[in-house]
Amino acid sequence: MIWLSGLLFLLSFTPCRGFITPSINLQNPTSTCHNPCHREQSTSLNGGLFGLDKNESEEPPSPPPNDASLPTRVLEIPVSSIKQGGLRFALGLHLVGLQDKGTWRANQASENVLDMFFKDNSAMFSLILEDDAIVIDRFGRPSLAYVLQESLVLHSVLDEINILAFEGDIEDENRLLRLEEPGDGIEKARGTLPARKA
């Protein structure tokens, strides 16, 4: 026991040398010194407990630039008129028809949003019917398999939108959607996608 108290006595006079590891704070990556003698306040995840390390004047941190929860705009088709209910139903049926062999899973997220989830859960896309546009946003960090499959599905969706906008013996005012003039929104959107399989 005497040797333990002697060791503690010596340690009290020796300069402390801690070890440094990366902090686990995702918004502000820094180094944290694990040194018992170093009493500097930390910005780690538990730094705000019981009011310690709390800085009320700070703005909330902005998300990292590659945050998977933020959408990436894949394409946008401007429309001059849209019948959201009918278009959602028609495109929803088309997406359900693309659920082959468990690769994709369609879901109606809301009155104007249709989601398509990929089997590897790396990413998904949302087809959003806005008052003045049809928008497709991607969420997640897509795998290579996802990117290849997404291109095939989106070309098919654009084909269906083209049929609904232009084909058949339907008066313009009765169509589920009308494109903004000059009416080339579908082809411009198609130009942003990788080429389809021949």
Side-chain angles (χ1 to χ4, degrees):
M1 260 339 229
I2 297 174
W3 65 270
L4 182 60
S5 57
L7 181 62
L8 291 175
F9 178 76
L10 284 175
L11 286 176
S12 66
F13 290 106
T14 355
C16 291
R17 292 181 191 242
F19 56 94
I20 296 180
T21 60
S23 170
I24 54 174
N25 183 352
L26 299 176
Q27 279 77 32
N28 184 15
T30 59
S31 294
T32 303
C33 180
H34 298 281
N35 183 338
C37 298
H38 190 68
R39 299 289 182 211
E40 186 177 55
Q41 290 185 335
S42 168
T43 58
S44 65
L45 292 176
N46 65 352
L49 289 177
F50 309 109
L52 298 175
D53 231 7
K54 198 171 185 180
N55 188 349
E56 299 293 339
S57 65
E58 284 186 20
E59 292 181 23
S62 60
N66 59 353
D67 188 352
S69 67
L70 297 177
T72 301
R73 181 67 38 99
V74 178
L75 58 88
E76 184 171 351
I77 303 169
V79 296
S80 59
S81 77
I82 190 169
K83 295 179 180 173
Q84 287 187 355
L87 187 59
R88 182 195 70 236
F89 181 74
L91 291 176
L93 285 178
H94 184 74
L95 292 178
V96 167
L98 296 175
Q99 296 181 130
D100 62 337
K101 302 174 187 169
T103 305
W104 291 97
R105 184 174 51 85
N107 180 52
Q108 180 178 331
S110 70
E111 291 298 314
N112 67 328
V113 178
L114 299 168
D115 291 335
M116 279 294 266
F117 297 91
F118 191 60
K119 66 180 178 181
D120 70 0
N121 293 323
S122 65
M124 52 93 56
F125 70 82
S126 292
L127 190 151
I128 305 161
L129 304 174
E130 297 178 345
D131 292 333
D132 59 350
I134 298 171
V135 173
I136 295 182
D137 286 340
R138 179 188 307 127
F139 294 85
R141 292 188 177 94
S143 63
L144 178 59
Y146 173 90
V147 172
L148 296 173
Q149 289 294 317
E150 180 194 63
S151 175
L152 295 174
V153 169
L154 292 182
H155 277 293
S156 175
V157 168
L158 292 176
D159 290 342
E160 185 69 14
I161 292 172
N162 192 64
I163 290 168
L164 295 170
F166 298 115
E167 293 185 14
D169 235 4
I170 302 170
E171 297 293 324
D172 281 349
E173 61 271 4
N174 294 330
R175 291 202 175 270
L176 295 178
L177 76 148
R178 286 187 298 198
L179 300 181
E180 273 189 4
E181 291 300 328
D184 59 350
I186 295 172
E187 292 313 309
K188 283 184 177 177
R190 196 180 298 279
T192 65
L193 299 175
R196 69 165 64 196
K197 191 164 56 171

